[in-house]
């Protein structure tokens, strides 16, 4: 693309190639997270978070990363438009205004791209309509993403806006992994299938792992364990996702901070018929009051480990259920892949919790999997190996960076 924009600072015109900044927006139902990146060296210029949008206790925290202290604004921020305008003002105060000709594009995290979007996509009216058509399968996420896109378009109508989909990396899953074994006509009529989420993270981490191992991603089979508050596993063969643990929604799969992960679907009928719960109540139970928080009252792994170390039995059982599920997925994905070259831990828990990493792979020596205690104990923000020197399968910790991946994909799309 060679769009020409006017540069008010020089009075002349410059090509899109001079624009090197990307703003990444992650719009949730009541929050907006933003990061401004300089793609010349992939560094961050500023990050921010607006939370509790629409409430009287809204808060904006803006952190300039090239000098300057974090700044905070308290007081009601009515909607996403106001949130983004406030973020734009903070950026402008640091000389990083969104009207700058150095801004190349805005990259949006979009949760659900269905089957249509397997690549980052420049947002047109047609693309936005398709994201709207997917609202029934992502009622919590896509509406917020759409609001974020519309607001950003109103602020900079001339600028390319790019959607990077959480589901995109998983569109390579074969049909036998993506389909539920339910009546085909019913499933197709309602677009019921396994889509998978956290794809931006799984894509980034699998590529970074290949770099860490010094081998082409095309040669490697790996299991990526994204363990944050939300958690998902994926099996990646030659850089392509062949299986992942989240399904139609992010509820399926691993035990998470507040989500149950896998349960017999009959649990929901039982809750309706026997416990008299409404569909919305069951939805809230399984998404917000289950997982670690439902099992022991805490969803922060640091707190759970502290309680386990003090002999708290509920916390210990919650930890064991979390680990058991993780181990089942490692076993299942080893079978799906046939040969495993690397198991990779990422996100808040995966990057920071040595006890989770140790317990998840304990007893799997028969699979060639082992964790070296000293290497596992090292705290670092860098990608690193934690398997013993002579291990058959590499075990690695690779910090994820979804914003950098979104910025990279966005920039690549608009820069050529
Ligand atoms: P998300 O993006 O899904 O909200 P993160 O990837 O940031 O989540 O992970 C957040 C979780 O990481 C926290 O809920 C906590 O359980 C875990 N976590 C963060 N730091 C540590 C740590 N030092 N030790 C153990 N767990 C940690």
């Amino acid at each position: 693309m060679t769009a020409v924009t006017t540069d008010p600072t020089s009075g002349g015109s410059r090509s899109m190639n001079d624009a090197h900044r990307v703003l990444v927006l992650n719009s949730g139902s009541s929050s907006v997270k933003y990061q401004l990146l300089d793609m010349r060296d992939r560094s961050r210029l500023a990050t921010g978070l607006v939370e509790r949008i629409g409430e009287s206790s809204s808060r904006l925290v803006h952190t300039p990363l090239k000098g300057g202290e974090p700044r905070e604004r308290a007081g009601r921020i009515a909607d996403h438009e106001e949130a983004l305008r406030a973020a734009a003002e903070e950026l402008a105060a640091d000389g990083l205004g969104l009207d700058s000709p150095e801004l190349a594009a805005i990259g949006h995290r979009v949760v659900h791209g269905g089957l249509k979007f397997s690549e980052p996509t420049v947002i047109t009216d047609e693309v936005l309509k398709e994201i709207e058509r997917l609202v029934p399968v992502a009622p919590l996420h896509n509406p917020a993403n759409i609001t974020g896109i519309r607001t950003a378009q109103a602020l900079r109508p001339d600028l390319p806006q790019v959607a990077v989909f959480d589901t995109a990396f998983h569109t390579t899953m074969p049909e036998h992994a993506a389909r539920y074994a339910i009546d085909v006509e019913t499933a197709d009529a309602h677009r019921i299938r396994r889509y998978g989420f956290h794809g931006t993270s799984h894509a980034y981490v699998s590529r970074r792992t290949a770099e860490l191992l010094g081998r082409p991603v095309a040669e490697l089979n790996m299991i990526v364990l994204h363990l944050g508050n939300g958690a998902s596993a994926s099996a990646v063969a030659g850089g392509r996702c062949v299986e992942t643990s989240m399904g139609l929604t992010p509820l399926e799969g691993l035990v998470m901070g507040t989500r149950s992960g896998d349960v017999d679907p009959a649990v929901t009928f039982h809750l309706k018929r026997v416990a008299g719960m409404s569909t919305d109540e069951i939805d809230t139970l399984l998404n917000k009051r289950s997982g670690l928080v439902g099992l022991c009252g805490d969803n922060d792994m640091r707190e759970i480990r502290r309680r386990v170390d003090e002999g708290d039995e509920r916390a210990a059982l919650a930890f064991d259920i979390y680990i058991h599920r993780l181990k089942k997925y490692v076993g299942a994905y080893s079978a799906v892949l046939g040969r495993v070259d690397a198991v990779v831990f990422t996100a808040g828990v995966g990057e920071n919790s040595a006890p989770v990493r140790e317990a998840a792979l304990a007893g799997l020596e028969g699979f060639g999997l082992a964790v070296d205690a000293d290497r596992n104990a090292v705290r670092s923000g860098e990608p690193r190996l934690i398997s013993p020197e002579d291990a058959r399968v590499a075990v690695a910790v690779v910090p994820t960076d979804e914003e950098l991946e979104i910025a990279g994909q966005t920039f690549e799309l608009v820069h050529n």
Side-chain angles (χ1 to χ4, degrees):
M1 193 185 286
T2 51
V4 172
T5 55
T6 303
D7 179 358
T9 56
S10 69
S13 68
R14 51 166 62 191
S15 82
M16 179 63 80
N17 291 342
D18 293 326
H20 53 264
R21 290 181 192 152
V22 173
L23 178 71
V24 175
L25 285 182
N26 182 352
S27 307
S29 55
S30 65
S31 70
V32 175
K33 291 186 201 146
Y34 60 92
Q35 291 200 0
L36 185 68
L37 291 97
D38 184 333
M39 299 316 289
R40 289 174 302 190
D41 59 0
R42 297 156 71 83
S43 66
R44 273 156 181 86
L45 300 168
T47 69
L49 165 69
V50 189
E51 52 188 355
R52 298 193 287 273
I53 296 171
E55 296 177 33
S56 58
S57 59
S58 314
R59 194 168 79 116
L60 180 154
V61 182
H62 175 87
T63 309
L65 295 173
K66 302 251 158 124
E69 292 296 306
R71 299 191 294 273
E72 202 175 314
R73 284 190 192 194
R76 182 176 156 82
I77 293 178
D79 52 28
H80 283 70
E81 187 175 338
E82 216 180 283
L84 204 52
R85 285 193 190 283
E89 281 169 25
E90 294 296 337
L91 287 163
D94 295 331
L96 300 168
L98 298 190
D99 53 353
S100 165
E102 291 174 34
L103 188 61
I106 299 180
H108 296 265
R109 175 188 182 216
V110 179
V111 169
H112 216 308
L115 282 182
K116 207 159 190 169
F117 298 113
S118 55
E119 301 287 339
T121 306
V122 173
I123 300 168
T124 59
D125 288 347
E126 191 43 48
V127 169
L128 204 50
K129 272 193 203 123
E130 185 58 28
I131 297 172
E132 267 168 359
R133 271 184 224 121
L134 288 161
V135 166
V137 283
L140 297 178
H141 296 105
N142 275 28
N145 301 154
I146 292 165
T147 307
I149 292 168
R150 287 232 167 87
T151 309
Q153 282 178 330
L155 271 180
R156 277 298 303 268
D158 57 316
L159 204 65
Q161 313 262 341
V162 173
V164 178
F165 299 93
D166 246 27
T167 45
F169 184 59
H170 304 303
T171 54
T172 53
M173 261 198 293
E175 201 60 9
H176 57 253
R179 270 206 182 266
Y180 292 111
I182 61 175
D183 172 70
V184 170
E185 278 77 33
T186 307
D188 287 351
H190 300 286
R191 296 201 258 193
I192 297 170
R193 58 187 285 121
R194 310 188 56 252
Y195 293 97
F197 299 88
H198 289 149
T200 309
S201 175
H202 287 282
Y204 175 81
V205 167
S206 46
R207 261 199 348 267
R208 291 287 285 148
T209 302
E211 283 168 30
L212 175 71
L213 300 178
R215 293 176 59 187
V217 75
E219 279 178 10
L220 294 169
N221 282 354
M222 53 182 112
I223 298 172
V224 179
L225 303 170
H226 175 110
L227 310 177
N229 203 23
S232 63
S234 67
V236 183
R240 291 164 70 85
C241 176
V242 295
E243 173 63 287
T244 194
S245 60
M246 285 177 165
L248 173 73
T249 77
L251 186 55
E252 192 179 341
L254 301 175
V255 176
M256 311 183 206
T258 65
R259 295 190 194 117
S260 60
D262 298 333
V263 290
D264 181 342
V267 167
T268 56
F269 324 143
H270 189 81
L271 287 169
K272 206 158 189 169
R273 292 182 189 133
V274 180
M277 290 173 73
S278 70
T279 305
D280 284 350
E281 283 168 342
I282 298 169
D283 191 327
T284 303
L285 175 80
L286 296 178
N287 274 295
K288 304 226 165 93
R289 291 173 39 223
S290 295
L292 291 169
V293 91
L295 290 166
C296 74
D298 273 311
N299 62 341
D300 190 313
M301 191 53 79
R302 285 164 287 201
E303 185 57 18
I304 291 169
R305 282 308 310 173
R306 196 191 57 72
R307 286 172 56 189
V308 173
D309 291 342
E310 283 176 355
D312 183 321
E313 284 179 15
R314 263 183 81 187
L317 181 59
F319 185 79
D320 289 349
I321 294 170
Y322 182 91
I323 295 296
H324 179 70
R325 184 81 52 84
L326 207 46
K327 198 172 281 193
K328 281 209 297 192
Y329 271 88
V330 171
Y333 287 7
S334 298
V336 166
L337 289 167
R339 184 200 81 235
V340 180
D341 300 299
V343 173
V344 196
F345 290 89
T346 193
V349 177
E351 290 165 29
N352 295 299
S353 181
V356 165
R357 297 190 297 254
E358 183 194 329
L361 302 186
L364 298 185
E365 295 78 11
F367 289 67
L369 285 165
V371 170
D372 178 273
D374 290 338
R375 290 181 170 186
N376 193 31
V378 172
R379 296 196 62 83
S380 159
E382 293 300 311
R384 58 200 184 273
L385 285 173
I386 57 167
S387 41
E389 197 62 53
D390 55 351
R392 179 150 56 90
V393 181
V395 181
V397 180
V398 176
T400 191
D401 194 335
E402 286 160 285
E403 288 77 15
L404 179 60
E405 180 70 14
I406 292 171
Q409 291 191 12
T410 298
F411 194 60
E412 200 171 307
L413 193 62
V414 302
H415 190 57
N416 298 317

